[in-house]
Amino acid sequence: MTQFFNNNLEQIISSVILLIIFIIIRTIIVITVKNIGKKSGTTEARAGLIGRYITVILVLIAILIEMFILGVEPEEVSLVFSSVFAVIGVGLFAVWSILSNVTSGVIMFFSFPYRVGDKIRIHDKDYPVEAIIEDIRAFQIHLREDNGDLVTYPNNLLLQKAVTLLQKDALDDASIL
């Protein structure tokens, strides 16, 4: 056992350094995402969801770096990744709509100009919606119409349609009355 550690001391030290760097970067990014979420008025659950997405990406990058630390040849890595991405690509083609909604949810987290409680109008020729934003989730946005109906609108469609802000923080105004 001692001989194993002596023979692989450089890789072990590099792996520990990679782990420490990974934890530091992840912590900084998650704290930054939570601060952005607080400033933009989004829920803590959404900030946590975005933090998990970023963590998955960082883990994949760390695994790739760890492969090189352990001495895996670039040709072997490219063969594995091309095979995995081919299989994933075929599988994800079937669920592209879900990925589109998740990606839109991430975009909306960082740059959506409306918050929970705002009353908006979505200019959709097939189904125009005028409602109060009740919740913004990873796949869809929940809207409450004036008649009490709950409308779930996919995130990817929301980014493709024109949206008008009718009243800011309509929920706060309704609670005053």
Side-chain angles (χ1 to χ4, degrees):
M1 186 76 155
T2 307
Q3 185 179 3
F4 172 79
F5 285 113
N6 290 336
N7 292 342
N8 299 309
L9 186 61
E10 186 177 324
Q11 286 93 350
I12 293 170
I13 292 172
S14 298
S15 296
V16 169
I17 291 171
L18 175 66
L19 181 64
I20 292 169
I21 291 172
F22 167 77
I23 291 170
I24 291 170
I25 290 173
R26 183 196 169 278
T27 304
I28 290 170
I29 290 176
V30 167
I31 290 171
T32 304
V33 166
K34 286 184 180 182
N35 288 339
I36 291 171
K38 285 179 185 176
K39 287 180 184 176
S40 64
T42 60
T43 62
E44 196 172 308
R46 284 198 64 220
L49 184 66
I50 300 298
R52 277 182 251 144
Y53 292 157
I54 292 171
T55 299
V56 168
I57 291 170
L58 287 174
V59 165
L60 293 175
I61 292 170
I63 288 171
L64 181 66
I65 294 170
E66 183 64 24
M67 289 173 146
F68 289 117
I69 289 173
L70 296 176
V72 177
E73 294 296 322
E75 295 82 22
E76 295 168 350
V77 173
S78 65
L79 177 67
V80 169
F81 273 102
S82 63
S83 301
V84 168
F85 282 127
V87 171
I88 290 175
V90 170
L92 294 182
F93 180 73
V95 292
W96 71 270
S97 179
I98 293 173
L99 286 177
S100 174
N101 283 319
V102 170
T103 304
S104 298
V106 171
I107 292 169
M108 287 171 54
F109 177 80
F110 289 107
S111 65
F112 194 56
Y114 313 111
R115 300 181 325 156
V116 172
D118 291 348
K119 187 168 187 175
I120 61 170
R121 177 182 298 131
I122 301 171
H123 302 277
D124 188 348
K125 68 177 183 175
D126 296 327
Y127 188 77
V129 177
E130 186 173 309
I132 295 172
I133 299 173
E134 197 170 89
D135 194 10
I136 302 171
R137 299 198 173 186
F139 297 104
Q140 74 272 349
I141 185 169
H142 289 186
L143 304 166
R144 183 70 64 182
E145 292 183 320
D146 291 335
N147 63 4
D149 290 346
L150 178 67
V151 177
T152 57
Y153 207 83
N155 288 341
N156 63 346
L157 290 181
L158 189 67
L159 291 180
Q160 296 173 15
K161 306 292 180 186
V163 178
T164 303
L165 177 63
L166 299 176
Q167 185 178 2
K168 205 152 190 56
D169 291 320
L171 291 177
D172 291 340
D173 295 341
S175 65
I176 293 172
L177 297 175

